[in-house]
Amino acid sequence: MKILVITELYYPEQNATGHFLTGIAEGLAVKDVVHVLCAQPCYNQRGIKAPKLEERKCVTILRCWSTTCDPRKIWGRLLNFATTSLSIGWRALFSIKRDDRVLVVTNPPLLPFLIRLVCCLKGAKFVLLVHDVYPDVFVPLGLMQSSHWFFRMLSCANGKLYASADRVVVLGRDMARLVEGKSKGLAPVVVIPNWSDADVITPMPKAENALLKKLNLTDKFVVHYSGNHGRTHDLFSMIEAAKLLEDEDDVHFLFIGEGSGKAEVVALAGELELENVTFCTFVDRAELNTSLNAADVSVVAFKKGMAGISVPSRLYNLMAAGKPILGVVDDNSEVADVIREAKLGVAVSPESPRKLAEQILSLRNEGDLRVKMAENSRNEAVVKYSYDVTKLQYRDLFDSL
């Protein structure tokens, strides 16, 4: 009997999903036999050809064939989703055995349905890890309307998938409420948040930050956004806030990362001729500590209506870096709850650039408050959101099966 982790993204992929699924598998492998079915890198490490079969840190990894088109283009992402789902699903038919315990992540969205079918055929336990709630994620993007029959059909299908699972792992309390609603209260939901890399991400004096020195920003109040620049993130409000604050010579906005929504954000900053905004590409994980410390305040931004649909993993590493968190998020979101409960920052509603600008100035002017928020942020990351804590939660989950 083994644990089989099924995911599109796995080591050497360094994006959030790849990083966290690798950590989950390796944590479980300390005591259990763990196999992984995944695809070749197709995001941050696209172009790297990893071995088809590999053993790493006691985990046996089988990488299935799939296309590796550019995921920043819709057609590329759709093609990758289709080939990844079918290829891994076919391999799972031969890899999953009776009484195996199977963990599959919700991306790509077709894959969990295929794996659920295989688990039923083989008599295996099925655990679903929800990173994004489908089809709800398409509503804030304007790609679907919740009243449309097609949305309702997909929503019903996902609700039945949740209800059929032996366990459903969600990343936050807002996501738990949404999943329970879709399954009509039948989903066996367990909340296990992602973790911070608090052992390698640590607070660093701003004056010593190599990135800020390179960008000549050590004397600025740096408002920092790091991570995926996706279409679900409210980055336009940040650009509009930068426009409102362009006469504040000491305030500078620093964006670090890539994503499907970045080009539009860069174009808007260019149209507004903003000199208080800098864009950088994503950094290798080895440079992440420097990158996350290049800030006086760090921003987590989502579009309106994203509460429960996605919980940003970057939040916990920003906390590990000891940063005050400025959440541009729905009031009923997990991010807003964490900020309030631990008193580690402030939250404003999405699409409120003027309010955002006001909070930035308030944080700039209240140095003592920022210091206290930073201390709370780091402490919460170490005590509540460490890898050791999360690893034990996953072990307990699989032992309960």
Side-chain angles (χ1 to χ4, degrees), residues 9-316:
L9 304 170
Y10 195 81
Y11 175 87
E13 187 64 71
Q14 291 188 19
N15 77 342
T17 299
H19 173 70
F20 287 113
L21 268 295
T22 301
I24 291 168
E26 291 174 357
L28 293 170
V30 171
K31 105 175 247 202
D32 290 290
V33 175
V34 178
H35 290 202
V36 169
L37 289 181
C38 62
Q40 288 286 341
C42 61
Y43 278 76
N44 294 357
Q45 275 57 52
R46 188 165 68 96
I48 293 176
K49 186 71 172 177
K52 180 178 179 181
L53 183 63
E54 179 181 13
E55 183 160 325
R56 180 177 184 271
K57 296 189 177 181
C58 299
V59 177
T60 301
I61 308 164
L62 177 60
R63 297 183 177 89
C64 304
W65 175 87
S66 67
T67 56
T68 55
C69 302
D70 188 348
R72 293 172 297 181
K73 296 180 171 61
I74 293 295
W75 66 266
R77 179 168 292 190
L78 290 175
L79 187 58
N80 290 349
F81 278 4
T83 57
T84 296
S85 298
L86 294 173
S87 180
I88 294 179
W90 175 254
R91 178 57 64 176
L93 190 60
F94 302 96
S95 299
I96 295 174
K97 308 298 181 185
R98 177 169 296 278
D99 294 327
D100 282 350
R101 293 161 291 170
V102 179
L103 173 69
V104 62
V105 70
T106 48
N107 298 319
L110 174 62
L111 184 58
F113 290 93
L114 299 177
I115 301 305
R116 184 69 190 101
L117 177 60
V118 175
C119 287
C120 285
L121 293 173
K122 295 299 186 78
K125 296 291 186 181
F126 177 75
V127 179
L128 180 65
L129 171 55
V130 182
H131 274 190
D132 294 292
V133 178
Y134 292 101
D136 302 56
V137 70
F138 298 124
V139 175
L141 295 175
L143 300 176
M144 278 189 179
Q145 293 183 350
S146 59
S147 58
H148 197 277
W149 67 268
F150 189 57
F151 176 93
R152 294 200 302 271
M153 181 184 72
L154 293 178
S155 186
C156 179
N158 276 278
K160 292 183 181 301
L161 178 70
Y162 300 147
S164 74
D166 292 284
R167 299 288 189 278
V168 180
V169 180
V170 297
L171 304 180
R173 291 159 288 183
D174 55 348
M175 189 177 283
R177 292 190 292 268
L178 186 56
V179 166
E180 287 168 348
K182 282 183 172 294
S183 69
K184 296 180 169 50
L186 298 176
V189 176
V190 179
V191 179
I192 305 180
N194 284 327
W195 62 86
S196 71
D197 297 310
D199 53 339
V200 294
I201 306 297
T202 57
M204 172 192 298
K206 182 182 169 186
E208 299 174 9
N209 190 277
L211 179 59
L212 293 181
K213 287 181 179 179
K214 177 182 176 181
L215 299 173
N216 295 318
L217 296 177
T218 53
D219 61 340
K220 302 290 186 179
F221 181 81
V222 179
V223 181
H224 166 273
Y225 178 88
S226 175
N228 183 33
H229 294 43
R231 293 186 173 90
T232 58
H233 301 110
D234 187 17
L235 304 184
F236 288 122
S237 287
M238 291 187 65
I239 296 298
E240 291 167 12
K243 179 65 177 177
L244 293 170
L245 297 175
E246 63 181 341
D247 292 332
E248 301 288 338
D249 293 337
D250 62 330
V251 177
H252 198 91
F253 289 73
L254 176 59
F255 293 80
I256 303 175
E258 296 292 335
S260 56
K262 183 174 181 177
E264 292 179 284
V265 176
V266 173
L268 178 59
E271 289 172 13
L272 297 176
E273 299 180 344
L274 296 177
E275 296 182 359
N276 60 343
V277 175
T278 298
F279 293 95
C280 297
T281 191
F282 69 85
V283 301
D284 188 87
R285 191 160 289 275
E287 302 171 18
L288 191 58
N289 193 43
T290 298
S291 173
L292 295 183
N293 273 285
D296 290 284
V297 59
S298 291
V299 179
V300 174
F302 272 117
K303 287 187 174 180
K304 187 178 295 185
M306 283 295 294
I309 296 173
S310 184
V311 179
S313 58
R314 77 184 66 90
L315 169 66
Y316 308 110

Side-chain angles (χ1 to χ4, degrees), residues 379-395:
N379 184 65
E380 194 80 351
V382 171
V383 173
K384 196 170 178 179
Y385 299 105
S386 70
Y387 178 54
D388 286 341
V389 171
T390 304
K391 183 168 59 177
L392 288 175
Q393 290 175 306
Y394 273 101
R395 284 187 196 165

